[in-house]
Amino acid sequence: MLFPQNTPTRSLVSLDGTWDFCIDPGRDEPTLDGASADLPGAEKMAVPASYNDLSQDAAVRDHIGWAWYQRWVTPSRLWAGQRLVLHFGSVAHHARVFIDGAEVARHKGGFLPFQVDISEFVDVAAPFRLAVAVDNRLDWSCLPCGEIKEPKGPQYPDGYRQQVIHFDFFNYAGIHRSVHVQVLPPVHVVAAQVDAQVDEQGRGQLAWVASLSDQAGLRVECCDAEGRIVASGSGIQGSCTLDEVHLWQPGAGYCYTLWLIAEDADGNELDRYPVRTGFRRIEVSKEQFLINGTPFYFRGFGKHEDSTLSGRAHNPVTLIKDLKLLGWINANSFRTSHYPYAEEVLDLCDELGIVVIDESPAVGLWDHSAPVFDCGKVGDDTLAHHNDVMSDLIARDRHHPCVVMWSVANEPASWEEGARPYFEAVVAHTRELDATRPLCCVVNTSAQGDRIQDLFDVTCLNRYPAWYSDPGRLETIEPGLLHDLREVHERFGKPIIITEYGADTVAGLHNDPVTMFSEEFQVEYLKACHRAFDALPFVIGEHVWNFADFMTKQGITRIIGNRKGVFTRDRQPKASAHYLRQRWQEASRP
Ligand code: GCB
């Protein structure tokens, strides 16, 4: 699937804006005819947005099950004779799409795009009703994992149910990324896999595998960032060599564009689509992560796609502010915790030279009260879906030079025996898809407690000393981390990135001597962690948890969300942001 773009042969019609919306009372299946009739009692809803925070009704915010989106689309006469492909950037978590009552697509998974050719369903002379039914329920067969529980007792009304989730972010739902009709020429490029490799001498190789909607020729032209054609080739599959490439570097993104040009037998251009990519070399040794031969130290954050009002939706306003703040604080990287982010995010990271660890939505694969792999809750269905998601993720993101590593999961129950065969399968599948990037799985286990870390190239650890253990005991952080990280490195022999460490901090709360939840505590907390990291040469990165405060489910440890942000949810700096800005400016390591 190709990201929707306007090109000389393609045009895009945005369906973003306001749609009609209503909650469906159905328990398992939708009960309303939202596909072919007006929605009863419809309210207006923004697209893209999570629906949860746009209502004054807690029942909408906390809804479990189906909801309907609907709008009319007026085709243009210019669509006649073209292929019409309807594209959704993401819909959380399960979607059914209808045109004038006919179901045209189904999709499972809330963080990756899907599309469907709707040409046969559209009469370009008449408006059509577009409806999307969205189900936000999570079970053990999808990612993220969750389960629906039906607790019984006098306090629970009849039929009461809860969506139980084993992850720490609000289960936002809705149409989260843009919706487009792509108006494509009858013969067009359907998909393309583009890989850019560069050797130590600076010679680049650009390989492509494309598919077309019909028989045609394919020519490719590779342009540098200034638009000069620097290489060309032909064929559905092929490669071309560039004798000397301009490298993509952290902090200095440089991109090439591979134009895929479909042609008829006479050389007439039928379609033209650009894929942007870049050349950089990634290597991992026992103690280093090298980008273009230079050791790279990850300075940055685990993030979320999360903002007030929009919820989990892609929002260009928040994106731009976040990228500005990453620059301001001297960060060079982040992890797309805990799911793939919008493609627009990666495009800008390519351009700006921001290094990204691209994470799958495999989160919540654990339960504090019971095993999940060993008792089959996380089983063959989960694995099949996990592998599908890795295929879709890599198909979507493989051309991005900013993506330097795939993270296959966050904090699965990696201490269980059953985790091993499960992750052996995920790793084998993922390596087959992309042999050029290192793999990691972010864990919170100790050296002894883990059964899977040896399968990965970089050890990624989440650590909360003096927070979830020994709360407030700052003096335990440095000795504890030194011991713990040395043990882990001794056992697995891989470089270590601390992918999470942090402390909840209520902006504006002060206490001296320092106390948990105060701004002063967060600063002292980070300093203590840094003393340990700085003493260990095999620690190759520090990603603070979290970039900004974010919404979670309600709970006794969450004060309207998780407050471990270095920035507030509206992106204002806490004291820790100023401290980090200084530390990362002075960083002697690259
Ligand atoms: C973690 C999780 C992250 C949570 C964080 C916390 O280990 O990976 O999703 O938000 O801890 O703050 O508890």
Side-chain angles (χ1 to χ4, degrees):
M1 193 186 320
L2 301 173
F3 183 65
Q5 297 189 66
N6 277 304
T7 81
T9 53
R10 301 167 163 234
S11 61
L12 288 185
V13 177
S14 168
L15 300 184
D16 292 354
T18 35
W19 292 42
D20 288 342
F21 173 84
C22 79
I23 291 292
D24 191 300
R27 241 181 120 67
D28 298 316
E29 291 296 311
T31 51
L32 300 176
D33 176 15
S36 53
D38 288 351
L39 299 176
E43 31 174 328
K44 293 293 173 194
M45 184 52 65
V47 170
S50 301
Y51 61 71
N52 311 78
D53 289 349
L54 294 183
S55 170
Q56 285 305 97
D57 185 354
V60 174
R61 183 192 65 199
D62 300 333
H63 175 65
I64 300 171
W66 291 95
W68 284 95
Y69 285 77
Q70 211 187 76
R71 62 165 286 160
W72 287 90
V73 180
T74 305
S76 150
R77 276 194 218 109
L78 300 173
W79 296 9
Q82 303 291 297
R83 298 311 293 183
L84 307 174
V85 176
L86 179 64
H87 182 280
F88 292 85
S90 74
V91 180
H93 295 285
H94 307 267
R96 291 188 198 167
V97 182
F98 304 84
I99 290 184
D100 289 333
E103 184 164 347
V104 296
R106 279 187 186 205
H107 187 256
K108 168 177 172 177
F111 298 95
L112 287 168
F114 62 98
Q115 67 181 29
V116 54
D117 188 325
I118 56 170
S119 317
E120 310 312 327
F121 297 90
V122 171
D123 169 1
V124 295
F128 63 89
R129 185 195 299 269
L130 173 61
V132 184
V134 177
D135 182 8
N136 65 355
R137 283 172 301 166
L138 295 171
D139 63 19
W140 290 103
S141 76
C142 61
L143 300 178
C145 290
E147 56 191 314
I148 302 282
K149 288 199 170 157
E150 300 189 355
K152 302 284 176 230
Q155 68 274 47
Y156 301 116
D158 272 354
Y160 187 76
R161 59 182 183 170
Q162 292 172 340
Q163 170 70 69
V164 175
I165 50 176
H166 305 289
F167 53 84
D168 182 35
F169 50 92
F170 191 88
N171 187 30
Y172 279 116
I175 301 181
H176 280 162
R177 295 178 192 157
S178 288
V179 187
H180 286 106
V181 176
Q182 305 171 85
V183 185
L184 307 179
V187 180
H188 57 265
V189 182
V190 173
Q193 172 182 322
V194 174
D195 291 304
Q197 293 297 311
V198 57
D199 66 18
E200 284 175 32
Q201 284 69 46
R203 265 166 74 91
Q205 239 223 348
L206 204 50
W208 67 90
V209 183
S211 61
L212 301 177
S213 61
D214 215 329
Q215 284 294 331
L218 188 79
R219 191 161 63 78
V220 307
E221 282 174 359
C222 174
C223 296
D224 64 14
E226 289 73 43
R228 288 182 295 250
I229 299 176
V230 291
S232 54
S234 60
I236 282 294
Q237 178 164 0
S239 68
C240 55
T241 305
L242 285 78
D243 284 338
E244 202 184 336
V245 298
H246 187 141
L247 290 174
W248 185 95
Q249 297 276 17
Y254 185 96
C255 294
Y256 288 80
T257 300
L258 189 72
W259 283 95
L260 302 159
I261 304 157
E263 291 180 335
D264 67 14
D266 299 325
N268 299 312
E269 193 168 304
L270 304 171
D271 187 24
R272 177 175 266 269
Y273 184 87
V275 179
R276 218 166 54 151
T277 189
F279 294 91
R280 83 277 173 286
R281 223 171 58 251
I282 309 289
E283 292 151 299
V284 179
S285 71
K286 195 174 172 205
E287 294 200 349
Q288 287 179 327
F289 191 99
L290 299 120
I291 301 184
N292 300 326
T294 305
F296 180 74
Y297 190 84
F298 293 78
R299 294 190 301 264
F301 301 93
K303 282 184 95 269
H304 265 297
E305 286 193 313
D306 172 278
S307 62
T308 37
L309 302 182
S310 297
R312 183 87 50 238
H314 169 64
N315 173 340
V317 174
T318 310
L319 171 60
I320 294 300
K321 184 68 176 172
D322 285 5
L323 294 176
K324 293 255 159 76
L325 290 175
L326 286 172
W328 175 85
I329 206 167
N330 298 308
N332 60 13
S333 55
F334 65 87
R335 173 171 61 118
T336 70
S337 39
H338 292 308
Y339 36 78
Y341 291 2
E343 285 160 87
E344 291 87 334
V345 179
L346 298 182
D347 272 341
L348 287 180
C349 291
D350 282 346
E351 231 171 284
L352 298 171
I354 298 172
V355 169
V356 175
I357 300 173
D358 202 353
E359 186 155 286
S360 90
V363 60
L365 285 74
W366 79 291
D367 182 352
H368 67 277
S369 59
V372 293
F373 291 98
D374 290 350
C375 76
K377 278 182 171 176
V378 174
D380 292 346
D381 288 352
T382 331
L383 178 58
H385 180 57
H386 199 154
N387 281 342
D388 284 349
V389 165
M390 291 314 301
S391 302
D392 290 350
L393 171 65
I394 292 174
R396 192 193 76 158
D397 292 350
R398 66 183 309 142
H399 60 281
H400 288 287
C402 66
V403 175
V404 299
M405 179 155 66
W406 306 113
S407 163
V408 303
N410 180 75
E411 294 188 357
S414 56
W415 52 90
E416 291 180 30
E417 239 171 75
R420 177 120 199 136
Y422 182 95
F423 280 100
E424 279 174 346
V426 173
V427 167
H429 177 73
T430 309
R431 290 204 194 279
E432 204 171 307
L433 295 166
D434 181 11
T436 71
R437 284 180 178 87
L439 287 191
C440 69
C441 178
V442 174
V443 297
N444 55 1
T445 29
S446 65
Q448 298 80 20
D450 185 274
R451 293 177 191 267
I452 62 170
Q453 267 312 304
D454 58 303
L455 301 172
F456 298 93
D457 305 303
V458 175
T459 304
C460 288
L461 299 178
N462 294 348
R463 291 294 189 256
Y464 292 94
W467 192 261
Y468 292 121
S469 56
D470 302 311
R473 308 314 325 170
L474 286 171
E475 64 279 12
T476 65
I477 293 180
E478 192 183 341
L481 278 176
L482 286 172
H483 178 79
D484 165 24
L485 300 181
R486 281 191 183 117
E487 264 194 351
V488 172
H489 189 252
E490 218 157 89
R491 166 136 191 239
F492 296 112
K494 314 273 170 76
I496 295 177
I497 302 175
I498 312 300
T499 31
E500 289 183 25
Y501 63 110
D504 283 83
T505 305
V506 179
L509 195 65
H510 298 284
N511 213 56
D512 183 41
V514 305
T515 306
M516 290 172 83
F517 297 101
S518 67
E519 293 205 33
E520 290 81 2
F521 184 89
Q522 192 181 31
V523 172
E524 292 310 313
Y525 185 97
L526 296 177
K527 282 185 179 169
C529 292
H530 294 155
R531 283 195 290 277
F533 304 162
D534 290 347
L536 301 171
F538 51 79
V539 171
I540 55 147
E542 52 195 53
H543 276 178
V544 178
W545 190 256
N546 187 285
F547 174 76
D549 294 347
F550 59 92
M551 194 47 67
T552 62
K553 67 181 180 200
Q554 299 185 58
I556 52 167
T557 60
R558 297 288 175 258
I559 313 158
I560 312 191
N562 187 311
R563 300 293 180 122
K564 293 195 184 69
V566 158
F567 297 98
T568 60
R569 203 177 184 215
D570 60 1
R571 274 51 179 180
Q572 295 306 318
K574 300 180 189 173
S576 57
H578 295 284
Y579 157 65
L580 284 170
R581 183 173 192 230
Q582 184 85 26
R583 169 177 168 82
W584 288 343
Q585 178 154 28
E586 289 165 357
S588 54
R589 295 195 261 192

